[in-house]
Amino acid sequence: MRASNPFNRLVPASGPVPCTPRSPARMRGALALLFVALAGLAACSDSPTEVRTVEVRVQVEFPASFVQSAAPNATVVLRSQETAQADTVISDAAGIAVFSSVVPGTYEISANRSLSAAESLQFTGIEEGVELNALLTSRQVSGTGPIEFTATLQGSAVGSWVISEMYYTGSPDFYFFDQFYRITNNSTDTLYAGGLMLASIHGVSGQINPSSEPTPFQNDQDHVYAAAIWRIPGGPDEHPVPPGGSLVIAQQGIDHRSDPDGNPNSPVDLGDADWEMYVDVPDSRDLDSPTVPNMEMVHRRFGFYALVPVFGPAIVLAEGDPDTFEAVTIPGDSPTSPPVIRIPVQNVIDGVEALQNENSGAFKRLPASIDAGFTFASGIYTAQAVRRRVQVETDDRIIYRDTNNSSSDFELVDNPTPRWP
Ligand SMILES: [Ca+2]
Ligand SMILES: [Ca+2]
């Protein structure tokens, strides 16, 4: 829970009291003079020999998306805009930096906090170092104090899109049209889904047949080789998704549990999915849900459906101009066979490797920088999904664990849920 700002209230003045005009009536007599002299020494703060100062307290706060508001160990600099004199204080555990004796005037307040990857993981759930800064200018320090200011840190986005759930096993008996992917904005900024691509990577998921062999591209750790690529329509400023927000991408956007074309054994309703992977070809046999908009089919090797292996697909999210990706013939295939599309790892935002079972590691398709491990289900048509584990849960969002290793980032679940939680 975020702590409320302790400075959203007026604090009674507790500093030295200013001198009040002296009543002539009270000036009569030596006793009165002595009294005034003593009182002045004790309580009057504007005697000509001292400079009146004020206490300034700066509350440093993390950006709103962080799990706590108070930012400890921030470097806070208070600089006079008149004399350029500066003083530096480190914020305490409550995120407060106290400047105990500040000469009244006009000040600039700056705050900086470097988060290590480990600290960033603690505060945001995303393991990536970040520089946070705040700047307040032309702030007046006057009166009797303490004077309070709030400096809210801002920084570049940490994290990005992640695949937060993937349902690929299909449901009993042998129904595979209900596959879906949930992708989540796991960052601290609004992200735009326009142009975002979801790709299924070439290669078998394990020793499915005696002749099954790992992908021939396994030694290329700098690219992935896509059998199919789907793209969310629109430009890079379209389809905003707030931090923690998700999109559901369906193979077919119907309520699979109740639709006449569905399967009563399916666990999912995809009638309100955000996007659908409709195979838009002249002889299409795919189902085009009228309630769910279609993604663009950038590449497809075969098939009348946007089916991925029920034994376990390797799925990536990618960005960039697909026209810059090279089409490659699979080694051993005839030159006329449909190619795969080579995507540089620099264009890959996130990826998950699902293989047939725990013994299928030799069949990995994704480079270790995208997914150093793999996940798996207990079998095909088991109506199971793999779901990314929660790293941090705040009042208003979930931040998923993303160490680029699906062996630890994902868990197998029996309740595929497009709009989880
Ligand atoms: Ca549709
Ligand atoms: Ca990742």
Side-chain angles (χ1 to χ4, degrees):
M1 190 179 200
R2 283 175 69 84
S4 64
N5 181 352
F7 295 150
N8 286 339
R9 56 188 165 80
L10 286 174
V11 179
S14 59
V17 296
C19 293
T20 50
R22 288 152 197 171
S23 158
R26 297 185 65 185
M27 299 297 280
R28 292 188 196 107
L31 194 64
L33 276 172
L34 180 63
F35 169 78
V36 169
L38 286 171
L41 279 175
C44 176
S45 62
D46 59 357
S47 77
T49 55
E50 73 181 273
V51 179
R52 195 168 56 98
T53 60
V54 182
E55 181 180 291
V56 170
R57 299 164 71 86
V58 179
Q59 169 75 59
V60 186
E61 293 191 342
F62 282 128
S65 55
F66 280 46
V67 295
Q68 76 177 52
S69 109
N73 297 319
T75 303
V76 183
V77 178
L78 184 69
R79 183 186 306 274
S80 166
Q81 292 182 224
E82 287 133 6
T83 68
Q85 261 195 339
D87 195 8
T88 302
V89 171
I90 305 298
S91 63
D92 63 15
I96 298 170
V98 179
F99 298 83
S100 54
S101 49
V102 178
V103 177
T106 305
Y107 284 85
E108 173 194 284
I109 300 162
S110 59
N112 168 267
R113 179 72 158 83
S114 300
L115 286 187
S116 67
E119 286 177 315
S120 193
L121 185 64
Q122 176 192 346
F123 291 123
T124 71
I126 297 155
E127 197 168 11
E128 184 181 310
V130 64
E131 286 292 324
L132 301 169
N133 290 288
L135 181 65
L136 307 173
T137 58
S138 302
R139 300 299 144 133
Q140 299 304 314
V141 173
S142 61
T144 54
I147 315 270
E148 286 117 12
F149 297 103
T150 297
T152 303
L153 296 165
Q154 296 178 321
S156 55
V158 288
S160 189
W161 294 104
V162 294
I163 297 164
S164 51
E165 184 162 338
M166 186 163 87
Y167 168 51
Y168 59 87
T169 61
S171 46
D173 295 317
F174 311 110
Y175 183 81
F176 52 72
F177 297 115
D178 53 353
Q179 293 175 330
F180 78 85
Y181 315 85
R182 182 178 62 254
I183 64 173
T184 300
N185 175 356
N186 210 37
S187 83
T188 55
D189 266 345
T190 296
L191 293 177
Y192 297 83
L196 188 64
M197 288 172 277
L198 188 147
S200 176
I201 304 307
H202 172 75
V204 294
S205 324
Q207 200 71 55
I208 294 157
N209 301 309
S211 61
S212 298
E213 285 185 14
T215 171
F217 303 112
Q218 203 169 51
N219 291 331
D220 183 353
Q221 292 286 303
D222 299 322
H223 302 87
V224 292
Y225 292 80
I229 302 177
W230 298 84
R231 184 179 179 277
I232 293 176
D237 56 353
E238 290 178 69
H239 311 307
V241 176
S246 294
L247 297 173
V248 174
I249 296 173
Q251 190 203 125
Q252 289 186 348
I254 59 172
D255 184 347
H256 292 272
R257 304 167 306 176
S258 62
D259 195 282
D261 291 314
N263 172 20
N265 296 323
S266 172
V268 292
D269 173 6
L270 293 170
D272 69 343
D274 295 285
W275 299 99
E276 178 183 37
M277 306 158 96
Y278 172 62
V279 176
D280 191 4
V281 293
D283 57 347
S284 182
R285 299 174 196 173
D286 204 0
L287 190 153
D288 184 1
S289 165
T291 61
V292 181
N294 298 340
M295 292 175 85
E296 297 167 0
M297 196 173 64
V298 174
H299 181 68
R300 148 187 178 265
R301 292 192 73 219
F302 311 105
F304 290 106
Y305 311 107
L307 172 67
V308 296
V310 292
F311 286 99
I315 301 293
V316 302
L317 295 175
E319 61 187 351
D321 179 359
D323 290 341
T324 65
F325 303 155
E326 198 180 336
V328 175
T329 300
I330 296 169
D333 274 11
S334 97
T336 56
S337 75
V340 288
I341 304 298
R342 185 163 74 180
I343 305 175
V345 292
Q346 291 86 349
N347 292 76
V348 175
I349 300 167
D350 188 43
V352 185
E353 175 99 58
L355 295 174
Q356 183 188 13
N357 57 45
E358 62 190 329
N359 302 317
S360 305
F363 288 82
K364 259 186 71 64
R365 295 152 291 195
L366 295 184
S369 63
I370 298 171
D371 185 350
F374 63 94
T375 183
F376 54 92
S378 66
I380 56 174
Y381 303 108
T382 52
Q384 293 170 318
V386 292
R387 183 178 297 153
R388 195 177 282 276
R389 295 177 194 273
V390 174
Q391 178 73 42
V392 179
E393 188 167 359
T394 73
D395 281 357
D396 53 4
R397 68 172 289 194
I398 280 171
I399 297 168
Y400 289 99
R401 178 179 173 84
D402 184 17
T403 65
N404 296 330
N405 185 333
S406 61
S407 300
S408 54
D409 291 350
F410 279 79
E411 60 184 335
L412 183 66
V413 297
D414 290 323
N415 61 335
T417 309
R419 301 288 178 189
W420 192 86

